[in-house]
Amino acid sequence: MSVHFEQVSFAYDDRSLWRHGALADVSLSITPGSFVGIAGITGSGKSTLLQHLNGILKPTAGRVKVLDFTIGAGDKGPLRELRRRVGLVFQFPEQQLFEDTVEKDLCFGPLNFGVPLEEAKDRASRALEMLGLDDSFLPRNPFHLSGGQMRKVAIASILTMEPDIIALDEPTATLDPQSRAELLQLLSRLQREEGKTVIVVTHRIEEMLPYAESWIVMKDGTPIFQGTPAELVREERHLSEAGLALPECIRLWNQLAIKLGLEQEEPCLSAEAIAERVAALYEHEVHPPTWGGGAGDAG
Amino acid sequence: MRDKLLFGRCIDTGSPIHRLDPRAKITGMILYLIAIIAVGSWPMLLVTVVFSIVYMLATRIPLKYFVKAAKPLWVLMVFIFVVQSLTVESGEVVLQIGGWALYAGGLKSGFIAAARMALLVSFTAILTFTTTPGLLNQGLDGVLKPLQKIGIKTQRLTLMMSIALRFIPTILDETHKILKAQAARGADIKELPWKEKGKLLLSLLVPVTVSAFRRAEELVLSMESRGYIVGAPRSEYHLLTWQTKDTWFVLSYVLLVAVVLTYRFI
Ligand SMILES: Nc1ncnc2c1ncn2[C@@H]1O[C@H](COP(=O)(O)OP(=O)(O)O)[C@@H](O)[C@H]1O
Ligand SMILES: [Mg+2]
């Protein structure tokens, strides 16, 4: 297991008048090398959960095991090595940048972990390139970039550390649709080709459906669902229970599945895939489909 | 970091003090300030301490929070105590080292001065603990209104006040977030040696200031784009209503001032 939460609870400002419970009895596991989506409405504890992955927050009760580290309530041990291996991109990138040039910001992590300057700079320009920004950004002031560019720099500044686990908090917010798709493809490539574990927090489930291999749905600081995309589709009620909008393609697939008896199949979750599947049904006439009312909004 | 700094935080316990008119509370605080300045003897210090504790208890906020509020200023208090005790030369000599003498009167006035400081800070915390920033601001506006007659632009003052109050927690929050981001990339301030800690904090100065300015700019733009003009007439969100209990509250402070002043000058 690369990540394992054992009955983790967490409260902000614990032991004060402002005590505010944010995680309650969270138990979950994430397999190494997988692509995991974490969904939930605002305030459901997603960001809090993510910050437990590298010991930025420590549980008030329970234990978090990440790679070969264990963090329990009140543990103090040094966390540097853990932080090198777990890259965390915070929710608001503008609060994550602090150097006066993009290059310095990108090199900050590697230099802290003892990477020689030349190599750090090398990594910086490679990471920028991965995110579709060229070297002309290196000398620029990160605070003068657009929101989307800042986001990309923030993500690049984590990639330069070459972590084994990459955790991103709503990375697609503030990005335009094309950059969004490119980012998810990049993450998926890092996962497939370099064996990284990628964990992405989102409240837009549909954009991650093609990539995520497993899902965690959070509600009020507790995971109410953990499983594969197919299970998520079959148990779509968890999404509405968590207050999330049901993605159009899941709704469509479920309607078709009921009508055409495809419940046991691996769900197709894009318009094209669904169209192909339905076309295949017609061609082979395995189940001569009987269209009823209500499927009309399927296209 | 956040939980250590109590300034400017409202703690809602729903006590009668919370429900007082903010103008009454501000007037009370001003009277209290006068009383504190006039305190110069043990009996009056005792009277003020008892008066303060009664009101602190009435807020239903644990006393330790008032103590905490005064804590950041302890260096200043020690300083005041030392300076006063060394400079005032009255009463008996308590301690003599070479040419230096420590007088009983010096110790007394040092102690009283430091106690006044502590009282003042923790007692004025009642105001911020029991009043939301919005109401505080409106109350200040009300109290300052008479100054408009002599041509002072009080709205500007109160706007500045409210923005400052609004930004102190934001700036702290921002600092906290950047520290977290640095920790995530291998520079955890908690794990660094002292010298490095200092360097890291210094390196925060620029981004935090920059982002505070940016926030302020955004705030001004968003206020202006919603039609806000400094000093233009505008209806208030809550109408403040002065009730009998507010009068009684202020009167209790008038009484305190009267007692302290009478003792002092008669
Ligand atoms: N720094 C903080 N101090 C106090 N409470 C917080 C803080 N950050 C988040 N919370 C609270 O913790 C809960 C979970 O927040 P968060 O993890 O940010 O949710 P999400 O990322 O899903 O929106 C929320 O109720 C939020 O108000
Ligand atoms: Mg969040």
Side-chain angles (χ1 to χ4, degrees):
Chain A
M1 285 295 136
S2 68
V3 177
H4 196 73
F5 279 58
E6 288 171 7
Q7 296 177 312
V8 170
S9 297
F10 177 81
Y12 285 98
D13 301 320
D14 197 28
R15 283 193 288 264
S16 84
L17 274 185
W18 297 278
R19 187 181 189 283
H20 186 113
L23 292 183
D25 201 16
V26 176
S27 296
L28 54 84
S29 301
I30 292 173
T31 32
S34 59
F35 195 124
V36 183
I38 300 179
I41 56 165
T42 307
S44 57
K46 307 180 298 294
S47 302
T48 310
L49 179 72
L50 221 55
Q51 288 170 37
H52 278 78
L53 293 178
N54 65 351
I56 290 286
L57 298 179
K58 292 177 189 141
T60 24
R63 270 190 308 178
V64 178
K65 292 184 181 165
V66 182
L67 301 165
D68 32 4
F69 299 84
T70 303
I71 306 166
D75 280 0
K76 282 242 165 65
L79 295 162
R80 262 167 68 89
E81 182 57 16
L82 173 64
R83 287 174 183 164
R84 188 187 66 70
R85 297 182 60 192
V86 181
L88 179 60
V89 182
F90 288 85
Q91 183 164 7
F92 302 102
E94 62 277 14
Q95 288 161 352
Q96 182 180 330
L97 305 169
F98 42 82
E99 295 281 16
D100 51 1
T101 69
V102 169
E103 182 167 38
K104 277 197 208 164
D105 227 298
L106 293 177
C107 293
F108 184 84
L111 292 180
N112 281 329
F113 296 119
V115 173
L117 184 62
E118 277 316 303
E119 195 195 328
K121 287 186 171 183
D122 214 48
R123 289 189 188 183
S125 74
R126 257 186 295 142
L128 263 194
E129 194 195 316
M130 279 197 246
L131 285 147
L133 300 177
D134 57 46
D135 282 357
S136 69
F137 280 90
L138 287 174
R140 290 184 59 181
N141 182 329
F143 297 103
H144 297 162
L145 301 176
S146 77
Q149 291 165 338
M150 259 194 227
R151 170 79 63 183
K152 289 179 182 176
V153 171
I155 296 171
S157 74
I158 294 306
L159 295 185
T160 53
M161 308 193 315
E162 306 193 338
D164 300 328
I165 299 179
I166 308 174
L168 304 98
D169 200 345
E170 307 207 13
T172 56
T174 70
L175 289 183
D176 56 280
Q178 194 196 337
S179 305
R180 241 182 251 164
E182 282 168 7
L183 173 64
L184 289 171
Q185 279 156 18
L186 168 69
L187 293 174
S188 174
R189 205 174 67 232
L190 288 171
Q191 179 237 343
R192 280 178 287 113
E193 293 171 10
E194 300 188 21
K196 313 250 184 216
T197 307
V198 176
I199 303 167
V200 183
V201 163
T202 185
H203 57 240
R204 271 191 260 242
I205 297 172
E206 55 278 33
E207 70 182 9
M208 273 187 41
L209 280 174
Y211 306 101
E213 296 167 337
S214 78
W215 282 95
I216 295 168
V217 178
M218 296 290 294
K219 183 189 183 218
D220 298 336
T222 311
I224 55 167
F225 171 85
Q226 293 173 61
T228 63
E231 284 162 346
L232 183 67
V233 171
R234 271 196 289 278
E235 300 170 34
E236 57 165 54
R237 67 195 141 82
H238 290 302
L239 291 177
S240 40
E241 191 192 329
L244 291 160
L246 187 61
E248 199 55 22
C249 52
I250 294 188
R251 203 168 57 85
L252 173 59
W253 174 262
N254 279 339
Q255 282 183 354
L256 282 176
I258 292 167
K259 293 235 157 59
L260 307 176
L262 307 176
E263 282 102 332
Q264 298 313 314
E265 278 187 25
E266 195 62 21
C268 306
L269 293 174
S270 67
E272 300 81 38
I274 292 176
E276 268 170 36
R277 184 69 194 94
V278 172
L281 278 184
Y282 273 103
E283 268 168 30
H284 301 297
E285 288 186 86
V286 184
H287 307 277
T290 45
W291 291 99
D297 55 349
Chain B
M1 174 173 230
R2 294 157 54 94
D3 37 275
K4 287 194 194 105
L5 212 124
L6 293 166
F7 180 76
R9 275 204 175 183
C10 179
I11 308 173
D12 192 7
T13 59
S15 78
I17 307 283
H18 284 75
R19 290 192 298 272
L20 288 171
D21 189 312
R23 288 171 296 185
K25 285 190 259 188
I26 293 172
T27 316
M29 289 304 141
I30 296 169
L31 290 168
Y32 186 79
L33 181 68
I34 296 171
I36 279 279
I37 292 170
V39 165
S41 60
W42 296 116
M44 283 306 106
L45 187 64
L46 186 69
V47 166
T48 326
V49 167
V50 171
F51 183 89
S52 311
I53 291 180
V54 167
Y55 270 115
M56 287 178 191
L57 288 176
T59 63
R60 296 196 201 133
I61 296 167
L63 282 180
K64 67 172 190 210
Y65 285 87
F66 293 99
V67 177
K68 267 195 195 171
K71 237 185 192 160
L73 292 171
W74 71 271
V75 181
L76 191 58
M77 285 179 229
V78 170
F79 179 75
I80 290 177
F81 175 73
V82 170
V83 170
Q84 289 271 344
S85 351
L86 292 184
T87 49
V88 176
E89 301 181 351
S90 67
E92 291 167 35
V93 174
V94 188
L95 190 71
Q96 184 132 28
I97 306 166
W100 277 99
L102 193 60
Y103 295 88
L107 279 181
K108 177 187 163 194
S109 73
F111 186 84
I112 289 183
R116 288 201 305 214
M117 177 89 193
L119 274 178
L120 183 65
V121 177
S122 45
F123 191 73
T124 40
I126 288 186
L127 187 63
T128 49
F129 282 176
T130 65
T131 324
T132 59
L135 281 178
L136 192 60
N137 197 40
Q138 216 178 325
L140 201 65
D141 218 17
V143 173
L144 291 178
K145 210 153 234 161
L147 293 179
Q148 281 178 17
K149 291 211 181 74
I150 55 170
I152 295 176
K153 297 226 161 52
T154 57
Q155 285 101 336
R156 250 169 234 247
L157 278 177
T158 48
L159 180 65
M160 261 156 55
M161 256 288 289
S162 74
I163 292 186
L165 278 182
R166 149 93 177 56
F167 271 100
I168 289 169
T170 317
I171 289 175
L172 285 178
D173 248 22
E174 212 114 292
T175 316
H176 193 65
K177 278 185 180 133
I178 296 183
L179 283 175
K180 264 191 186 175
Q182 293 185 326
R185 289 198 261 154
D188 194 331
I189 193 153
K190 290 190 211 111
E191 292 177 6
L192 291 175
W194 278 100
K195 201 175 142 215
E196 298 294 312
K197 268 197 209 322
K199 263 197 208 159
L200 195 65
L201 278 179
L202 215 60
S203 76
L204 280 187
L205 225 52
V206 176
V208 169
T209 322
V210 167
S211 94
F213 273 111
R214 205 180 38 223
R215 289 293 180 94
E217 224 166 67
E218 281 167 9
L219 183 69
V220 169
L221 285 179
S222 102
M223 285 170 82
E224 280 179 356
S225 64
R226 283 181 285 163
Y228 185 85
I229 298 166
V230 180
R234 101 185 251 281
S235 31
E236 292 290 357
Y237 198 75
H238 296 280
L239 282 180
L240 299 181
T241 45
W242 188 278
Q243 292 169 327
T244 337
K245 61 182 183 196
D246 298 308
T247 312
W248 282 113
F249 181 78
V250 172
L251 279 180
S252 74
Y253 283 81
V254 174
L255 186 68
L256 175 71
V257 173
V259 169
V260 172
L261 286 183
T262 322
Y263 190 88
R264 175 120 208 188
F265 295 111
I266 294 172

